[in-house]
């Protein structure tokens, strides 16, 4: 999420692919000019939370959060979920959290967007160590 309009309940998201394993190796070879051996060594050395962010399209996508299921890593008061799983939330929870600390909404964890038949149905803030 790169922006949030609390008055409308709309949020803008910048979509990216999370590349790991063979996909990350191919990206490094094809896009960054690595040799296959160097790319494989680099990816083999990734920690559990490391990946390559593939963002080929700078276009933002706007989602009306009034129309989707929402899960957050934080409660409305700004306290974090203690078991590293997102909690079922309502739009008012996001609104309250944003007013307590907008960085927890915009700059803390990234979001997974679930889509069915081309329409967003769920937005989940994802724990990523």
């Amino acid at each position: 999420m790169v922006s949030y309009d609390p008055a409308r309940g709309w949020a803008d998201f910048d979509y990216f692919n999370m590349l790991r394993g063979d996909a990350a190796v191919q990206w490094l070879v094809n896009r960054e000019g690595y040799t296959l051996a160097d790319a494989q060594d680099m990816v083999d050395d990734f920690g559990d939370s490391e990946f390559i962010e593939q963002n080929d399209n700078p276009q933002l996508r706007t989602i009306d959060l009034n129309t989707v299921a929402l899960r957050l890593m934080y409660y409305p008061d700004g306290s974090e979920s203690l078991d590293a799983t997102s909690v079922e939330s309502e739009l008012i929870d996001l609104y309250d959290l944003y007013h307590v600390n907008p960085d927890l909404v915009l700059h803390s964890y990234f979001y997974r967007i679930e889509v069915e038949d081309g329409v967003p149905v769920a937005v989940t803030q994802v724990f990523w160590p």
Side-chain angles (χ1 to χ4, degrees), residues 34-81:
Y34 281 67
T35 66
L36 183 58
D38 287 344
Q40 189 66 57
D41 286 345
M42 180 178 179
V43 171
D44 287 347
D45 202 32
F46 277 4
D48 289 342
S49 65
E50 291 181 290
F51 61 92
I52 292 174
E53 184 177 311
Q54 176 191 5
N55 187 351
D56 293 331
N57 183 345
Q59 175 185 351
L60 300 179
R61 286 85 169 173
T62 301
I63 296 177
D64 181 351
L65 298 177
N66 292 288
T67 64
V68 299
L70 183 63
R71 297 184 64 87
L72 301 172
M73 288 302 303
Y74 299 96
Y75 295 97
D77 65 0
S79 60
E80 189 169 3
S81 170

